[in-house]
Amino acid sequence: VGDVAVPPAAVTVSTSFHVEQIAVADGVLGILGVDFGSDPLGDFYTETIDFPSTPFSFFDVASTDVFATRVTGRIQVDDPGNYEFRLTSGDTVVMWIDGDPVVINAVEGLATVQIGACNMGAGEHEIVIHHLDLNGDAEMTLEWRGPGETDFSLVTPSPAGTIEDDDDAGFIVDIDTGTSALLTVKLTDVPDNWVISSDGNAGIPAGGELDVTGWDLSQLTIAPASGDLGPATINVETTLQAPDGEVETSSSSFDVNVVPENGIVLDLDLGLGGLPLPLGLGVQLAAQPVFPGEVPAEPAVDEPLEMAAQPLAAQLDPGGVQVLF
C-alpha cells in the first residue's frame, strides 16, 4: 500500500471589468438624464463585455424595459499604435478611453455596430462605458483590433491587478479540485486593514489571514487600506480531501498593485452633428464626439424640433459637462 499524494487544486486568478446597474429616474428620455455617479443598485465582475440580447442578460433584477449600466476597468496595451474598438449594442452607449470619447452609439432599439479608433501607447489604459436601455432585451459586446491584426476579438481586462488608492477592484478566482472535495479556502499574506468582500460576505484579515470558504470567489473584491501604495502578493491556500479520505493543503499566489488616483475625468463635450441621440417620443438629434483641437459642428436641427432641442444642446455645449469617476 503506497501513500499517494493528493493533487493540489488548480487555482486561476483573473482581473475583471466592473459592471454596475444605475438607477434611472422616472421620465428620463436620454442618457444625459442618468446620474452615472450615483451608488449602483447592483453590480458584478466579468472577464469580457459580451451580453446577448435577452431579458436580464445584464442584471438578474433589472427591469426588462429601462435600466442604465456603468462599466469600468483597465486594458493593457503591449504594442503601441492605433486600436479599433467595435461596440455592438441596440441602445445608447458612450465609451471613453482615458477620459476621451472613442465610441458613441445612440440608436435606441436597433442592433447597431459602431467602430471607433484610438492611438494608445504601451501600458494600462482606463475604460468607461455608460449605457442606457429604454426598450428591453438589451445587448452589448465590446471587441478590439490592434496594429497588424485582421480580426476583432473580445476586449479583456489588464492582467496587472491594479487598484487605485481609495478604490477597490474585482478578481475572479477559479478553483479546479479535480476529483477531490474542497474543504477550506484561505487568503494569506494579506496586508493589514485591507477589506475583502464578495456577495454579502466581508472581512478584514487577522494576522494577514482570512477564511473565505463558501464565498463566491468569482466575485471577489479587494479594497486596500488608504495610502497603502505599491505591489503586494496574496496567497490562496486550499485544503482538499481525496476520495480515499487523504487531506492535503497547498497554496498559489497572485499579485496586486496599488497606485495613486489618476484624476481622469470623462469628457462629455459631444457637440451636435453626426450620430443620433434620442430625445424620446420618436424625436432624434445628431451628435458626435469632439476631440481636443477640433471645432464642434454647428447644430443641424430641423425647424419643428428647435424647441425640443434647446435643453439637449445646452447640456452638450463644449466646455460644459465633465464627470469625475
Side-chain angles (χ1 to χ4, degrees):
V1 177
D3 185 13
V4 179
V6 180
V11 179
T12 303
V13 181
S14 306
T15 57
S16 64
F17 294 113
H18 193 192
V19 183
E20 300 170 286
Q21 181 188 7
I22 304 301
V24 179
D26 292 341
V28 168
L29 300 177
I31 197 168
L32 294 180
V34 179
D35 181 9
F36 284 96
S38 62
D39 291 335
L41 301 175
D43 67 331
F44 63 91
Y45 297 102
T46 179
E47 293 181 88
T48 58
I49 302 167
D50 187 20
F51 308 120
S53 178
T54 56
F56 307 120
S57 64
F58 285 43
F59 303 95
D60 290 340
V61 296
S63 166
T64 57
D65 294 326
V66 179
F67 69 95
T69 309
R70 176 176 61 211
V71 179
T72 56
R74 291 171 176 264
I75 55 177
Q76 175 70 33
V77 169
D78 295 324
D79 299 320
N82 192 63
Y83 282 76
E84 291 180 291
F85 291 86
R86 183 166 69 184
L87 183 61
T88 304
S89 177
D91 314 285
T92 301
V93 182
V94 182
M95 186 184 80
W96 294 262
I97 301 292
D98 295 331
D100 292 324
V102 173
V103 177
I104 300 176
N105 176 34
V107 182
E108 282 285 351
L110 298 175
T112 58
V113 176
Q114 299 294 333
I115 295 180
C118 183
N119 195 286
M120 296 189 290
E124 284 192 319
H125 299 266
E126 293 199 32
I127 183 171
V128 177
I129 298 174
H130 287 179
H131 155 266
L132 173 64
D133 171 61
L134 294 175
N135 296 292
D137 289 2
E139 66 177 293
M140 183 162 57
T141 300
L142 180 62
E143 301 165 291
W144 63 347
R145 180 171 61 188
E149 296 179 344
T150 57
D151 297 325
F152 283 91
S153 60
L154 289 172
V155 176
T156 55
S158 167
T162 302
I163 308 176
E164 286 193 20
D165 190 22
D166 289 324
D167 203 352
D168 55 40
F171 294 82
I172 298 173
V173 182
D174 180 73
I175 301 176
D176 184 359
T177 64
T179 59
S180 300
L182 180 63
L183 298 182
T184 63
V185 184
K186 294 181 181 179
L187 300 182
T188 63
D189 291 340
V190 184
D192 292 339
N193 299 316
W194 285 30
V195 178
I196 311 296
S197 59
S198 172
D199 194 26
N201 297 295
I204 299 176
E209 182 178 299
L210 181 66
D211 191 327
V212 293
T213 305
W215 290 26
D216 181 3
L217 299 180
S218 71
Q219 301 293 305
L220 192 70
T221 303
I222 299 178
S226 179
D228 197 356
L229 303 179
T233 299
I234 297 176
N235 292 319
V236 182
E237 182 182 285
T238 56
T239 301
L240 304 184
Q241 184 175 41
D244 63 359
E246 188 81 13
V247 174
E248 199 76 39
T249 297
S250 60
S251 66
S252 59
S253 64
F254 65 99
D255 297 326
V256 298
N257 185 32
V258 185
V259 300
E261 292 182 90
N262 59 24
I264 288 178
V265 296
L266 300 183
D267 181 4
L268 295 186
D269 296 341
L270 304 180
L272 293 177
L275 212 62
L277 274 177
L279 289 177
L281 302 178
V283 179
Q284 292 186 331
L285 290 179
Q288 64 183 7
V290 176
F291 298 96
E294 290 186 352
V295 178
E298 290 296 322
V301 182
D302 294 335
E303 182 68 26
L305 302 182
E306 286 183 353
M307 293 300 293
Q310 292 300 320
L312 183 63
Q315 293 184 69
L316 293 177
D317 181 49
V321 183
Q322 287 186 326
V323 178
L324 181 67
F325 73 96

